[in-house]
Amino acid sequence: MQYPVVDPNRPTLTSPAPLYRPLYLSITSTARGLQNFISDLRNAKSKEDESKRVSKELANIRSKFTASGSLSSYQKKKYVWKLVYAFMLGYDVDFGHAEVVSLVGSAKYSEKQVGYVAMSLLLKAGDSMMNMIVNSIRNDLVGSYDDAATSLALTSIANVSGIELMQALHVEVQRVLVSPNATPAVRKKAALCLLRLIRQLPDSIASADFAPHISNLLQDRHMGVLTSTMSLLIGLTSKHEQEYETMIPYAIHILSTLVLKKSVSPDYLYYRTPSPWLQIKLLRFLQYYPELMASGQAYVATLKQCLARILNDTDVSDSINKSNADHAVLFEAISTIVVFGDSGDEDLQLAAMRLLGKFISVREPNIRYLGLMTMSRLAVLHNNTNKEQIKTFQSVVVHSLKDADISVRRRALDLLFVMCDQTNAESIVDELITYLVAADAGIREQMVLKIAVLAEKFATSKKWYVDTILKLISISGDQVSDSIWHRVIVIVTNNSDDDLQQYVATTMFDVCSSKNAHVKAVAVGSYVLGEFGFLIAEEAGKSGEVQFQVLHQHWPLIDANTQGIMLTAFAKMYNLYEEIRPIIDPIFAKLKTSVDVELQQRSNEYRILGSLGPEIMEDILREMPAFDTQKVSTLEIALDQEHSDTHDVNVFKKKDPNSPASKRGSKTAQQEPEPEILVQAEPEPEPDLLDGFDDPPPAPIGGFDDPPLSKQAVTVGDPAAVASSFAKLLSTPQGVLFQNEYVQVGVKQEFRGSQGRIQLFAGNMGAESFTNFKLDMPQVPYLRTTVQDEMGATGAGCTLAPKQQARVMIMAEAIAPYCEAPGLTVTFETSTTTHSYPLKLPIVPTSFTEPVTVDKAAFMGRWGQLAAKESQEIITVSRTVDPAMMQQVAALLTGLKYGRCQEVDSPTTCSGCGTMKTGAKDGQGNPISVGCLVRIEANGDKFRVTARTLHPVVSQGVKETFCKVLKAL
């Protein structure tokens, strides 16, 4: 846009006024009272003096606002500025909102500026005043030809970002963006405002229809508009990739103009680099299409030239600012090459690798950090040439482990982890263990986990793997998690064909012989000597009695969990070596009154085993069977959690498909599916963004003086339908909890251990808006809950437009045994009716249960012990029970998280076992769990449901849950 050249000698009155007046001029030149107020606060000698001065001023402003006389424009602005300043200092300002609305609707720019600033700070999303201010903002957007007013409105919408405000004005923001009459300054603000809106309301734009408008914006010659449009395009593409794939040619054309032709306005040359910010955004947009290089399109060759030019022409500059800008573009180009993966150009990958090899050797820590991080991403590509070339930098990467900056050390550790394979595993693991001795606490836990994974994945022998883990325990035992030494036990137990078990028994005997052995080593030694100590018992100095003494010397120094493992080892020794039974008997007798419930129970059970006869004791204390190897390694799960926890979820960064978490495909690394939209409504036609600029805003429905209407109360739904929906959700992860012609409430739930995450989706199914819409969830003593609610449905209430949906996230943790599901009351008002629907949330004891599989003897023994805590009920179903229905019952048992006990059941019975997890702790700090058994017996058209648990309240809750589910069959 060409601006006229103004003659400085022309009279002031005819000189063009600036588009924006600086904010500080508006304050300091027109509000002397504000200056005095600020000076008084700065000169206050104490916090109390400041509070008194603010309270006095707020009282004065309140009296001025409530006085019958009208205020002048100067007074309004001055008092509102004072409210804004007091709010910025941290004082509560709960009045003056009507004056803010008045200023926003003013025709004067000076008043409008003050009003919009105050609105952005004083008004919050969901405030009732927002509904009164919408029409004023809409008029400034589409009914005004003042660019300053339009820019103020766009900035305020983005800053407030309330759901109701966005839903009411997103169409107008789109109109401003695509309007041919909008200036570049307004278009830039409109693009960034729309980006803020789609982050809050991703489905507010019909992507297929809006893509042509984006293509027109990408042909704008103004660099500022292009930069803002690319920010918006990246945000849109992160949600709808396919709809914006047609923008690729435009992005590559702009990139080639900047990189190859260097054709750009001098205003956008940053230290002789053409608009580096725009180059970065263009490259990030292309990263959303990893198969781009394999498409065979004509523009692929241009893209290769651009990437090659960036790789070849970037060099270190004497100017720090230019060097930073150039290297930012360079690393983004390398990231683009990495995203293209194996379908990309191999020459570009090799060139990127050479550059990265140079960068990880420089002294500048920022460049070295980026080089290590990018090389680790490049290393995971399935390209043998890349991997072999990366190995040549192994010594440089190992040297980076000693860097003073811990972030550089972390990236060096990541790179060593991904470059490791069978050929260099031992050398890398040895280097890492050597460095582990001197590593600080901030990186030790991460190092220990990755060393353990590498040692298991690339072990040259099982003995080398065991020795490596024992080194980890001896060097950094406190950072060795339980999952690491558990893997040692699994591998040793499952390898009975070779001499590994005897080797490990000998090794652990030697380790535990030292009084300074770490508690983790004692835990491993207790298990190994209890299971495999008999393999070395015939050797000199390693008899059963000596093994017992080696372990028992650590008893006073270990925690209760390790004592439990050692107690089991003593029981196995008691069975194997008769000569040490007189030594072990007093230990069992002493612990039968232990304050630790677990030790007390174990000692009593092991003590009684001796009186049951040698055959029973032999059968119960036999060697542990091989562990299930089909499960995902717990070490890999822990590593995936580490990657997923640190993953950047910003809309500008797409998830790396080559990350370790993605390759393993574990549950923790997978993207959670989007929740199902439960309100099925006919899609509304998308408004034409180029039409209707002159349409007046809709008139409000009704007036303030209209008499109130008497409303009829509706307080119940269909009881049978409510019970059926509730029962179905007890065994399924998502579904509809309640639905009628007015409202639909859906639930999506996930439980792990004692914790659960429940999402509620409440949708307006009618043709008119709901007011005072609330989801009331009373607190219960047996659940610890945290609620996330953007619309205020669980607080003061909100307004729900037709076909609109309110979403609430509930994080729940069971902290005590219970039997009754928590309540949920849905209330709202329409024009003629007040609705109230009492419901139950499907959070029952079985929600926090984990399945347990036991054999017949264990089940029947436990069943008899829990007879005193039984809860039983006989129910009648709608038809005679047949084999097909029993299969449904078995499926329900699994759906309610109970393990099947196959040997126990006949064709007309179904038995299961589980453990209810709670977040409560016992005296030793261990989580409290409740063992649960259930048995379902069929006879004709009846079921007898029997639940026996360690807690009678849980027995009742489990029984009622199964009865509800069976009645719904």
Side-chain angles (χ1 to χ4, degrees):
M1 177 177 179
Q2 297 293 328
Y3 293 96
V5 179
V6 181
D7 185 357
N9 298 320
R10 291 176 63 183
T12 305
L13 293 177
T14 59
S15 299
L19 180 59
Y20 304 106
R21 187 179 188 188
L23 187 58
Y24 68 89
L25 290 180
S26 299
I27 300 174
T28 57
S29 63
T30 61
R32 175 63 61 184
L34 175 63
Q35 289 184 338
N36 295 335
F37 177 56
I38 295 175
S39 298
D40 291 345
L41 296 183
R42 288 180 174 175
N43 295 330
K45 296 181 179 180
S46 64
K47 180 66 175 178
E48 290 75 15
D49 293 344
E50 178 186 293
S51 299
K52 290 179 181 179
R53 181 66 180 90
V54 172
S55 299
K56 178 181 177 181
E57 190 65 38
L58 292 179
N60 177 57
I61 296 173
R62 189 188 295 270
S63 65
K64 295 292 185 181
F65 285 167
T66 56
S68 57
S70 61
L71 297 175
S72 65
S73 173
Y74 168 79
Q75 290 175 319
K76 273 188 181 181
K77 291 187 292 183
K78 179 180 67 173
Y79 292 142
V80 171
W81 276 131
K82 289 182 178 181
L83 292 180
V84 169
Y85 188 73
F87 178 81
M88 293 171 62
L89 291 179
Y91 293 93
D92 292 332
V93 177
D94 56 357
F95 65 96
H97 296 167
E99 283 69 24
V100 172
V101 173
S102 174
L103 290 173
V104 170
S106 173
K108 296 181 180 180
Y109 174 75
S110 60
E111 295 183 1
K112 193 179 292 290
Q113 181 189 39
V114 177
Y116 273 118
V117 172
M119 185 196 84
S120 300
L121 292 175
L122 301 181
L123 296 184
K124 301 176 183 178
D127 285 350
S128 58
M129 285 292 178
M130 279 297 179
N131 296 327
M132 301 175 59
I133 212 169
V134 166
N135 285 338
S136 297
I137 300 176
R138 182 183 286 113
N139 184 59
D140 288 336
L141 287 176
V142 298
S144 172
Y145 295 98
D146 187 354
D147 288 349
T150 304
S151 299
L152 283 174
L154 291 169
T155 304
S156 299
I157 294 172
N159 286 336
V160 175
S161 65
I163 299 295
E164 295 86 353
L165 189 65
M166 293 178 179
Q167 290 174 336
L169 297 174
H170 71 89
V171 174
E172 285 75 12
V173 175
Q174 296 177 51
R175 289 178 179 175
V176 173
L177 178 61
V178 302
S179 172
N181 300 321
T183 62
V186 172
R187 284 194 178 187
K188 290 191 295 182
K189 288 185 177 293
L192 296 178
C193 179
L194 192 58
L195 173 61
R196 184 68 178 268
L197 296 185
I198 63 172
R199 288 178 178 174
Q200 299 290 331
L201 297 173
D203 298 326
S204 60
I205 292 181
S207 297
D209 298 332
F210 197 69
H213 298 303
I214 294 292
S215 64
N216 292 333
L217 291 170
L218 290 178
Q219 298 177 56
D220 198 300
R221 299 182 63 84
H222 194 281
M223 295 299 295
V225 175
L226 285 177
T227 305
S228 300
T229 301
M230 282 307 305
S231 298
L232 174 61
L233 178 57
I234 291 173
L236 292 169
T237 307
S238 66
K239 307 295 183 183
H240 309 282
E241 295 180 14
Q242 295 182 351
E243 285 79 353
Y244 295 97
E245 190 172 359
T246 55
M247 302 298 109
I248 294 177
Y250 297 97
I252 294 178
H253 173 73
I254 298 172
L255 184 64
S256 65
T257 302
L258 297 174
V259 176
L260 300 181
K261 301 178 182 178
K262 298 187 180 298
S263 175
V264 69
S265 169
D267 294 337
Y268 287 88
L269 276 175
Y270 183 78
Y271 291 90
R272 301 187 303 278
T273 300
S275 189
W277 304 279
L278 181 55
Q279 293 186 45
I280 291 173
K281 292 180 186 296
L282 291 166
L283 291 169
R284 286 188 178 179
F285 166 71
L286 296 176
Q287 291 173 19
Y288 282 91
Y289 303 96
E291 303 299 328
L292 173 60
M293 283 293 190
S295 62
Q297 299 291 336
Y299 49 71
V300 172
T302 305
L303 177 59
K304 290 182 180 179
Q305 294 178 13
C306 294
L307 294 174
R309 179 69 63 85
I310 294 173
L311 294 179
N312 296 330
D313 290 359
T314 303
D315 201 355
V316 178
S317 172
D318 294 335
S319 171
I320 296 178
N321 292 331
K322 177 174 175 55
S323 180
N324 289 341
D326 290 345
H327 282 89
V329 177
L330 174 62
F331 278 107
E332 202 63 48
I334 296 176
S335 297
T336 305
I337 295 172
V338 172
V339 169
F340 289 157
D342 297 330
S343 62
D345 187 83
E346 188 172 340
D347 293 336
L348 290 176
Q349 294 179 11
L350 292 176
M353 186 66 67
R354 287 193 294 270
L355 277 174
L356 293 175
K358 182 174 71 172
F359 291 149
I360 64 176
S361 304
V362 301
R363 297 182 59 185
E364 171 60 36
N366 292 330
I367 294 179
R368 191 162 67 253
Y369 173 91
L370 291 173
L372 291 168
M373 180 182 67
T374 310
M375 185 177 284
S376 65
R377 297 181 62 196
L378 193 58
V380 299
L381 299 181
H382 298 287
N383 190 318
N384 293 329
T385 305
N386 289 342
K387 292 183 179 180
E388 293 302 322
Q389 190 168 359
I390 288 176
K391 290 180 184 179
T392 61
F393 304 110
Q394 181 174 327
S395 59
V396 179
V397 179
V398 170
H399 181 73
S400 297
L401 283 174
K402 305 176 179 63
D403 194 273
D405 191 336
I406 189 172
S407 60
V408 174
R409 299 200 298 271
R410 291 183 186 276
R411 298 290 78 80
L413 177 61
D414 291 342
L415 181 53
L416 282 174
F417 181 78
V418 297
M419 73 163 56
C420 188
D421 59 17
Q422 293 286 354
T423 61
N424 59 1
E426 288 196 19
S427 61
I428 288 179
V429 169
D430 290 342
E431 290 283 359
L432 292 176
I433 290 178
T434 302
Y435 171 68
L436 182 63
V437 178
D440 54 38
I443 198 175
R444 276 195 166 213
E445 186 173 356
Q446 186 181 9
M447 287 190 66
V448 167
L449 176 60
K450 293 193 172 182
I451 291 172
V453 173
L454 292 178
E456 179 181 347
K457 188 175 182 180
F458 302 109
T460 55
S461 68
K462 296 293 191 299
K463 296 180 181 179
W464 175 80
Y465 165 73
V466 172
D467 291 339
T468 301
I469 301 301
L470 291 179
K471 288 180 183 177
L472 291 180
I473 294 175
S474 63
I475 295 173
S476 186
D478 293 339
Q479 281 74 40
V480 176
S481 63
D482 290 343
S483 59
I484 293 177
W485 65 266
H486 286 173
R487 286 296 298 170
V488 175
I489 290 175
V490 170
I491 291 174
V492 173
T493 304
N494 290 0
N495 285 268
S496 58
D497 298 336
D498 50 24
D499 59 346
L500 177 64
Q501 294 176 348
Q502 182 176 353
Y503 173 80
V504 175
T506 302
T507 303
M508 295 314 305
F509 178 86
D510 296 336
V511 171
C512 293
S513 297
S514 171
K515 294 183 178 181
N516 298 323
H518 194 275
V519 63
K520 300 290 176 64
V522 175
V524 178
S526 298
Y527 183 91
V528 170
L529 292 180
E531 291 291 327
F532 314 115
F534 67 92
L535 297 175
I536 61 172
E538 301 298 328
E539 298 180 14
K542 298 178 182 178
S543 65
E545 183 176 356
V546 175
Q547 294 180 32
F548 167 79
Q549 293 172 352
V550 164
L551 294 178
H552 191 259
Q553 66 177 337
H554 300 288
W555 181 270
L557 305 176
I558 58 179
D559 55 62
N561 290 332
T562 308
Q563 286 178 343
I565 299 173
M566 188 178 291
L567 205 59
T568 302
F570 290 166
K572 300 217 169 191
M573 292 179 179
Y574 186 93
N575 176 50
L576 292 173
Y577 315 113
E578 293 185 5
E579 65 274 11
I580 65 173
R581 291 181 181 179
I583 306 175
I584 298 178
D585 275 329
I587 297 176
F588 290 159
K590 182 179 179 181
L591 291 175
K592 69 179 182 179
T593 57
S594 172
V595 295
D596 187 280
V597 177
E598 180 67 21
L599 292 179
Q600 181 186 122
Q601 181 175 350
R602 289 196 186 201
S603 61
N604 279 285
E605 291 176 351
Y606 295 152
R607 186 171 57 87
I608 295 173
L609 276 179
S611 62
L612 298 180
E615 294 183 358
I616 295 179
M617 184 170 62
E618 180 80 22
D619 186 57
I620 293 176
L621 296 177
R622 67 177 59 179
E623 292 181 39
M624 287 290 293
F627 291 90
D628 184 8
T629 58
Q630 300 299 321
K631 296 181 180 179
V632 180
S633 169
T634 54
L635 295 186
E636 295 189 3
I637 293 175
L639 194 63
D640 289 341
Q641 288 174 343
E642 176 188 330
H643 281 272
S644 61
D645 289 344
T646 58
H647 185 261
D648 182 8
V649 293
N650 189 284
V651 296
F652 291 118
K653 185 169 182 180
K654 182 178 172 67
K655 185 174 180 181
D656 185 4
N658 292 322
S659 67
S662 298
K663 281 180 169 293
R664 275 184 283 272
S666 68
K667 189 172 182 179
T668 57
Q670 294 173 357
Q671 289 284 354
E672 187 175 19
E674 289 293 323
E676 180 182 1
I677 303 300
L678 299 175
V679 178
Q680 300 297 335
E682 291 294 328
E684 296 182 357
E686 190 69 18
D688 186 356
L689 301 181
L690 302 179
D691 188 23
F693 280 87
D694 298 328
D695 293 343
I701 300 175
F704 290 103
D705 298 327
D706 291 343
L709 300 175
S710 59
K711 296 186 178 182
Q712 179 184 2
V714 175
T715 59
V716 294
D718 181 5
V722 171
S724 177
S725 299
F726 176 79
K728 290 179 181 178
L729 280 169
L730 295 179
S731 58
T732 55
Q734 64 182 21
V736 176
L737 179 63
F738 176 77
Q739 180 174 355
N740 61 10
E741 64 270 27
Y742 298 103
V743 66
Q744 182 188 60
V745 181
V747 175
K748 181 178 180 181
Q749 53 192 349
E750 180 183 9
F751 295 88
R752 293 182 183 176
S754 63
Q755 299 178 343
R757 180 175 61 185
I758 303 94
Q759 290 177 287
L760 298 180
F761 307 91
N764 183 346
M765 300 285 289
E768 61 176 306
S769 296
F770 296 163
T771 57
N772 295 325
F773 182 86
K774 295 182 181 180
L775 298 174
D776 185 23
M777 294 171 286
Q779 291 289 333
V780 291
Y782 47 83
L783 292 178
R784 183 187 296 118
T785 57
T786 303
V787 178
Q788 297 178 8
D789 175 19
E790 294 182 355
M791 297 183 64
T794 58
C798 64
T799 299
L800 209 59
K803 315 309 177 188
Q804 187 183 0
Q805 192 178 73
R807 301 188 180 189
V808 175
M809 174 78 76
I810 306 171
M811 309 300 290
E813 182 179 22
I815 56 176
Y818 71 101
C819 63
E820 185 178 0
L824 169 69
T825 303
V826 182
T827 59
F828 58 93
E829 297 178 3
T830 59
S831 58
T832 60
T833 311
T834 298
H835 296 256
S836 178
Y837 302 103
L839 307 172
K840 291 286 187 181
L841 286 172
I843 309 176
V844 293
T846 58
S847 302
F848 303 102
T849 300
E850 292 184 355
V852 176
T853 302
V854 296
D855 56 19
K856 180 178 180 180
F859 181 88
M860 297 308 296
R862 198 65 172 162
W863 184 261
Q865 295 173 2
L866 297 174
K869 300 176 182 179
E870 175 186 281
S871 181
Q872 187 179 99
E873 184 177 349
I874 298 176
I875 61 172
T876 303
V877 292
S878 58
R879 58 190 174 92
T880 302
V881 180
D882 54 16
M885 196 171 190
M886 289 303 299
Q887 291 181 357
Q888 290 180 288
V889 173
L892 287 176
L893 196 71
T894 304
L896 290 171
K897 303 179 182 178
Y898 275 68
R900 288 293 309 276
C901 303
Q902 299 290 346
E903 301 85 0
V904 178
D905 295 324
S906 67
T908 59
T909 62
C910 197
S911 304
C913 181
T915 301
M916 179 188 172
K917 302 291 185 178
T918 71
K921 306 291 185 181
D922 59 18
Q924 302 297 322
N926 301 315
I928 296 177
S929 301
V930 180
C932 306
L933 302 178
V934 67
R935 187 171 177 84
I936 303 170
E937 300 164 278
N939 185 11
D941 61 345
K942 292 180 174 56
F943 282 111
R944 180 168 66 183
V945 181
T946 307
R948 297 182 181 181
T949 73
L950 289 172
H951 200 288
V953 173
V954 178
S955 299
Q956 181 182 353
V958 172
K959 181 261 297 180
E960 291 177 355
T961 300
F962 276 88
C963 288
K964 287 182 174 67
V965 175
L966 291 172
K967 289 178 181 178
L969 286 178

